[in-house]
Amino acid sequence: MGPVRTVVVNTALRELLAHLDWTPMPRAQRLRAQEVCLELITDGSRPTITVPLPHDQRIAEIARQIMADPADNHSIDDWAYRTSQSSRTIARAFRAETGLTFTQWRTHARMARAVELLGEDLPVRVVARRVGYTTSSAFTAAFRRLLKQPPSEFVPGRAP
């Protein structure tokens, strides 16, 4: 037995594992599906992003909406208006609950989703748009700042 390693479980792998868990199938078919699972496993030694989720009701819904749509570009002032709060209240709550500013937290949320999308083998330009960046270069710069490596290194099958 080799060393224990952390792995990344992307959406396709997670769904296939669930399917294997709940679906009876002939042995040969199960073995083929298990082989596909092994091919989908990516190295978990790559850096990961932790996105602390706030529990404070003043900002929990904001966080949920940003996680659901990381491309949402509403500013903290927009969120303040939409939630009938002051932007200072939101800013203080994010800092107190997550240890990050609103902008830092949103960047973490965007990059966490970007890592998932890159694990699904989507092109960097597509991932950039889906997480709120208008250009691949701006996305790559932000990704590199936070994860200390370019998004191209998160493509499945590529060694870190």
Side-chain angles (χ1 to χ4, degrees):
M1 177 187 256
V4 176
R5 299 179 72 179
T6 304
V7 297
V8 175
V9 178
N10 63 26
T11 305
L13 178 56
R14 183 174 37 255
E15 292 299 318
L16 185 52
L17 288 170
H19 180 71
L20 282 167
D21 186 40
W22 291 100
T23 307
M25 61 184 73
R27 186 174 195 274
Q29 184 180 9
R30 181 169 294 280
L31 288 173
R32 281 195 312 275
Q34 289 169 339
E35 288 172 352
V36 171
C37 285
L38 291 172
E39 292 171 12
L40 290 172
I41 292 174
T42 58
D43 187 359
S45 64
R46 295 176 177 167
T48 57
I49 301 172
T50 302
V51 183
L53 297 176
H55 299 290
D56 186 324
Q57 291 304 315
R58 296 174 297 177
I59 60 171
E61 183 58 30
I62 296 169
R64 276 191 290 280
Q65 288 185 33
I66 291 171
M67 294 292 285
D69 180 14
D72 184 317
N73 278 321
H74 285 97
S75 69
I76 195 168
D77 293 327
D78 296 334
W79 284 110
Y81 179 79
R82 290 173 75 183
T83 61
S84 300
Q85 302 180 74
S86 75
S87 55
R88 288 190 58 188
T89 296
I90 294 171
R92 282 193 303 266
F94 262 97
R95 175 68 83 180
E97 285 279 309
T98 69
L100 302 167
T101 66
F102 170 79
T103 302
Q104 289 170 331
W105 185 89
R106 181 169 53 193
T107 299
H108 278 72
R110 286 177 169 178
M111 294 308 153
R113 181 65 180 133
V115 168
E116 290 176 14
L117 294 171
L118 290 166
E120 294 172 11
D121 207 18
L122 291 174
V124 171
R125 64 182 161 64
V126 171
V127 173
R129 279 193 305 270
R130 288 195 184 173
V131 298
Y133 289 85
T134 55
T135 66
S136 294
S137 59
F139 166 70
T140 298
F143 194 96
R144 191 184 290 266
R145 255 191 318 276
L146 193 60
L147 287 156
K148 311 297 183 226
Q149 58 189 221
S152 60
E153 291 189 15
F154 280 75
V155 174
R158 183 174 290 186

